[in-house]
Amino acid sequence: MTGTGGTSISDPRGPVHSGGGDQNNTYYYSVGPREPLVRTGVDRLEMVREHRRRLAKCFVWPGGYTRAADRLARPGAVVLLEGAPGIGRRSAATMLLMGASVPDSRIEELPAVREEEPLDPSPDDRYLLDLSSVGDADYAAAQRTLMSYCVLVEKSGARLVAVSPSGLEWMLDAELAPLAVHLERPSGRAVFSRHLRVRGVRFAYEQLDHGDLPHLFETAPMGELDRLAGLVVQARDRAGRGTEFEHWRDEAVAAATNWSQQVAGDLRQHRGAGERALLLAASMTSGGPADTVLSAAHILLGVLGHPQDETPRLARAGLGEQFEELSLDREDDGRVRFVRLAYDDAVRRHFWENFPDLRADFRDWVGQCMELSGLGAEDRARLVSRFAEQALRTDRPDDLNLLIEKWTQPSAGGRLRAEAAAALELGLSHERYGSRFRSHVYQWVTTARIAPDLARVLTDVCRQVMAVTHPEQAMVRLRHLALRQENHEDIKKAARSALLDLARGNRRLYGQLVHRLLPRARPVDGGLDVLLALLDPAERRADPPWQAFVLAWRAVMAGKPARAWSPAAQRWLAVLTLRQAGDEVLNALLIAAYGDRDLLNQLYVTTCDWADSEPVDMPEEFRARRDDRVRTADRFCREIDLAQGVGGLSSASGARRTGEGP
């Protein structure tokens, strides 16, 4: 596929777009009274892998791709992709990074504006920096950010692919010019053919030389060709048996090219406010119950301040008659759909494009429609997706932010948290505005006061969406949520759980979190509690980075009473005894306490207590035989003796009988 990829590459986040065209995504969240938002039945990492597999199947190499791949083959290489918009520069960047990856390596997207955490790349890391939406006013600063990334990437041996903004090549800094590779437009016919074949559509090559298709192959963005292939599949599925590719092709091309004129013509025939309100309501709630479509139309008229029709209700056209005049079909299940393929999309586009002065009213209308009792969870999810598509397409991302805040206010009673999460995910997933939404999330989590439901939504979205593609930025935001004293205790607990889960699965993030939480001039409120939880081996998924491990132990031992950190230390001794870790554990604990006689004494007693009798709350997987515990304890106690310059007791059990350390 040569359209642009999703906001991220690697292990994306939700629905990823393959190009510059429109995309409709439906979100299904399960929300309990005290449960986090969870996308039902969806593994985000698997979604990302599936996106990668599909990308590899559909991708058509643009001109210049081989040159870029050759450059990226060198450790520490940085490539800057240039080219016209719509040719698939972002997808090319994705494929380049995939081709240069090693098994299990991460591919992450970098922010155009540096945040709190310093980049700390390793040789296996792969990075994307998408500057395609940066304007000329911000491009100079973005290039300085790119230069700082280049230094770190080159030094570490990682790889970085950046996508430059089209039309600003004249502003490219001379220092970055050698990194630039210009991409040419790939064959549109080849792109469309690949997408059809991947979707299982059979056709003859000569069937593509028809009507508007050759022109589309030469001019349409790659994402539009992807979307057109999807419309062919929809037309095939709607038509059923007995139809051929030509029929699906013609219906799909008509939906992609003709419906805008058709909608404009239809609206010239339907100038009444009631008719137009019903048409827009049907396009936004297509697939929803007929009664709800009518209610949504009435709400729209109210939001717009339109006077009520004084004609007696029985003297007006019935709902079925109104639907028929507007080419709407009320199916046997009572749900309303448009007769023409993808016509609802064209209607939505028409209203947002041709009534720009009403876009704020449309936003408020959608916000009110969410409260309609006839809309089920799937109906509301579709409504969120359709509104987000239009708001982002018309450069109004703040409309989404306003609704997210509205739906998470205490007055909403938590009823629309799922819809707020879906709206935020759509914003974060957007190619152009994803970085803006990530910045807005940062503003939210650092605000003096934040609504509890908004905090819950941010926690879940950071954990499930942002952490997959922008883990360092997710960690920054979760840390603020976890440590803010103004937040409710359950919110801090959930954010801390998400923060710890993120750090435990990534050694680099583990080290960054430790360094951020280390007490400096003034201890971070709650920071030592997070460090202590991070040190507990019960939830570990990988060995920690030992330098950060030592620093964390030093801070916890110095800032917490022994009764607080002793259980974690005893669990690590058990892990060592059971041969689930090496001697680095003993070395780290010893170095952390080194030079402080009181800490060494406390560590000595903690070790002896564990050797003599396992704590009752010791997890089953950490229980060891007493003889094995004594052997480990004896060895460690001798090391503690040596650290203090004393001969040491003969055994840990003997020290335990004396009730004191060295």
Side-chain angles (χ1 to χ4, degrees):
M1 164 184 335
T2 52
T4 51
T7 299
S8 111
I9 323 196
S10 58
D11 296 315
R13 29 166 219 238
V16 230
H17 202 341
S18 58
D22 299 325
Q23 176 182 9
N24 289 315
N25 303 308
T26 301
Y27 297 78
Y28 305 97
Y29 286 91
S30 171
V31 188
R34 293 190 175 275
E35 296 173 0
L37 302 175
V38 179
R39 184 179 297 198
T40 306
V42 175
D43 183 310
R44 179 166 297 276
L45 289 176
E46 183 53 37
M47 289 176 62
V48 175
R49 295 185 186 105
E50 177 56 33
H51 167 69
R52 284 178 161 184
R53 288 191 288 266
R54 183 172 180 270
L55 178 61
K57 292 177 182 177
C58 296
F59 187 73
V60 175
W61 287 15
Y65 182 86
T66 301
R67 182 183 171 207
D70 290 343
R71 286 195 182 182
L72 199 64
R74 299 189 301 272
V78 178
V79 175
L80 178 63
L81 299 182
E82 296 180 338
I87 66 169
R89 290 166 297 158
R90 187 182 173 100
S91 284
T94 303
M95 287 297 298
L96 286 168
L97 290 165
M98 289 168 58
S101 295
V102 296
D104 299 323
S105 65
R106 296 191 61 86
I107 304 177
E108 299 177 15
E109 183 170 355
L110 297 173
V113 178
R114 295 285 294 274
E115 292 193 346
E116 298 177 10
E117 304 298 339
L119 184 65
D120 183 22
S122 66
D124 292 341
D125 288 332
R126 305 294 180 262
Y127 296 104
L128 168 70
L129 177 62
D130 191 350
L131 304 177
S132 59
S133 61
V134 173
D136 54 0
D138 300 318
Y139 192 35
Q143 290 185 76
R144 289 193 293 272
T145 300
L146 173 57
M147 290 178 190
S148 67
Y149 288 146
C150 288
V151 173
L152 296 172
V153 167
E154 292 170 1
K155 183 178 180 180
S156 66
R159 310 291 204 286
L160 168 63
V161 178
V163 180
S164 69
S166 295
L168 298 183
E169 290 82 3
W170 61 275
M171 291 183 64
L172 185 63
D173 191 283
E175 187 176 338
L176 295 173
L179 307 177
V181 175
H182 187 80
L183 297 182
E184 302 291 341
R185 178 184 175 89
S187 165
R189 179 188 294 269
V191 170
F192 185 62
S193 300
R194 287 273 183 93
H195 280 288
L196 288 177
R197 291 193 178 98
V198 168
R199 288 172 164 91
V201 178
R202 295 183 178 182
F203 62 95
Y205 195 71
E206 57 271 14
Q207 290 176 311
L208 302 183
D209 294 318
H210 177 80
D212 292 330
L213 276 180
H215 176 69
L216 291 174
F217 294 155
E218 294 296 327
T219 61
M222 299 300 108
E224 289 296 330
L225 296 179
D226 177 17
R227 177 173 176 265
L228 181 60
L231 290 172
V232 171
V233 174
Q234 291 183 43
R236 179 194 64 186
D237 295 343
R238 283 163 52 105
R241 296 182 179 180
T243 56
E244 300 294 337
F245 175 77
E246 289 89 346
H247 174 82
W248 313 330
R249 174 201 63 197
D250 294 346
E251 188 176 3
V253 171
T257 60
N258 299 336
W259 285 168
S260 59
Q261 293 86 355
Q262 182 69 44
V263 171
D266 287 348
L267 287 179
R268 282 192 289 270
Q269 302 299 319
H270 303 289
R271 292 192 175 274
E275 295 173 300
R276 292 185 170 187
L278 189 62
L279 188 66
L280 178 55
S283 74
M284 293 295 289
T285 61
S286 177
D291 294 352
T292 303
V293 174
L294 182 61
S295 298
H298 288 162
I299 293 174
L300 177 58
L301 292 174
V303 170
L304 296 177
H306 193 275
Q308 293 185 355
D309 188 351
E310 299 296 335
T311 306
R313 182 66 187 91
L314 288 176
R316 288 180 257 161
L319 191 55
E321 183 180 345
Q322 295 179 63
F323 285 163
E324 184 177 353
E325 290 178 357
L326 298 174
S327 298
L328 294 169
D329 184 21
R330 180 165 53 180
E331 299 181 349
D332 293 341
D333 59 1
R335 294 184 173 268
V336 176
R337 294 176 176 84
F338 283 82
V339 175
R340 302 185 185 98
L341 174 68
Y343 196 74
D344 57 331
D345 176 57
V347 170
R348 294 190 292 271
R349 293 172 69 95
H350 180 91
F351 275 96
W352 255 266
E353 287 176 357
N354 291 281
F355 296 91
D357 53 323
L358 298 182
R359 290 170 184 165
D361 293 315
F362 293 160
R363 175 201 65 215
D364 296 340
W365 167 58
V366 169
Q368 293 186 34
C369 285
M370 283 297 167
E371 301 284 359
L372 287 171
S373 59
L375 290 179
E378 295 184 16
D379 299 318
R380 292 194 301 273
R382 285 192 291 265
L383 180 55
V384 170
S385 179
R386 290 162 179 168
F387 171 74
E389 179 183 9
Q390 299 308 316
L392 297 174
R393 189 177 59 81
T394 54
D395 302 325
R396 293 180 63 90
D398 287 341
D399 281 352
L400 277 181
N401 291 327
L402 288 171
L403 287 182
I404 291 167
E405 291 180 347
K406 173 183 174 65
W407 294 337
T408 53
Q409 286 300 309
S411 58
R415 296 184 302 275
L416 297 175
R417 290 213 317 267
E419 287 69 31
L424 182 54
E425 180 171 1
L426 284 164
L428 291 168
S429 303
H430 194 264
E431 175 187 337
R432 179 176 181 185
Y433 289 114
S435 61
R436 182 164 173 171
F437 277 90
R438 290 191 294 274
S439 296
H440 205 86
V441 171
Y442 183 82
Q443 295 175 22
W444 272 325
V445 301
T446 55
T447 300
R449 296 185 63 84
I450 181 172
D453 277 334
L454 178 56
R456 294 183 181 99
V457 166
L458 297 178
T459 297
D460 287 315
V461 171
C462 284
R463 183 176 200 163
Q464 299 179 28
V465 179
M466 196 184 298
V468 176
T469 54
H470 300 79
E472 294 180 5
Q473 294 182 59
M475 187 174 72
V476 170
R477 288 147 182 78
L478 287 171
R479 193 185 71 241
H480 281 287
L481 287 166
L483 298 180
R484 290 180 62 81
Q485 295 304 306
E486 298 86 352
N487 288 342
H488 292 190
E489 195 58 39
D490 65 322
I491 293 172
K492 291 192 288 187
K493 182 178 179 181
R496 190 177 84 164
S497 174
L499 179 64
L500 292 170
D501 186 61
L502 185 58
R504 286 165 178 152
N506 185 305
R507 287 169 56 87
R508 185 176 72 230
L509 296 181
Y510 189 113
Q512 288 181 354
L513 180 59
V514 168
H515 284 283
R516 182 58 63 174
L517 294 177
L518 287 176
R520 293 180 175 84
R522 181 178 64 86
V524 179
D525 291 337
L528 289 179
D529 293 329
V530 177
L531 283 179
L532 181 56
L534 187 63
L535 290 172
D536 195 322
E539 302 291 338
R540 88 189 198 282
R541 300 200 301 274
D543 288 337
W546 296 110
Q547 183 180 21
F549 188 71
V550 170
L551 293 173
W553 268 114
R554 180 70 177 184
V556 167
M557 287 179 175
K560 289 278 189 181
R563 64 178 181 275
W565 54 260
S566 290
Q570 291 174 343
R571 290 179 185 180
W572 274 110
L573 292 173
V575 167
L576 175 64
T577 301
L578 296 171
R579 298 184 179 180
Q580 297 173 3
D583 286 346
E584 297 92 345
V585 173
L586 298 185
N587 295 335
L589 291 172
L590 193 63
I591 294 171
Y594 193 83
D596 189 317
R597 185 174 182 83
D598 289 338
L599 288 182
L600 289 169
N601 283 339
Q602 290 167 352
L603 188 58
Y604 195 102
V605 172
T606 293
T607 304
C608 294
D609 287 343
W610 168 75
D612 188 54
S613 176
E614 279 187 323
V616 294
D617 60 348
M618 179 69 74
E620 186 64 33
E621 65 270 22
F622 292 150
R623 293 190 173 275
R625 294 186 310 168
R626 187 177 188 282
D627 290 346
D628 294 334
R629 298 199 309 271
V630 168
R631 277 194 292 272
T632 299
D634 283 347
R635 182 156 61 98
F636 191 32
C637 286
R638 284 194 295 271
E639 296 293 335
I640 295 174
D641 289 342
L642 292 174
Q644 298 198 82
V646 296
L649 298 172
S650 59
S651 71
S653 56
R656 182 68 184 91
R657 285 192 295 271
T658 68
E660 59 184 33

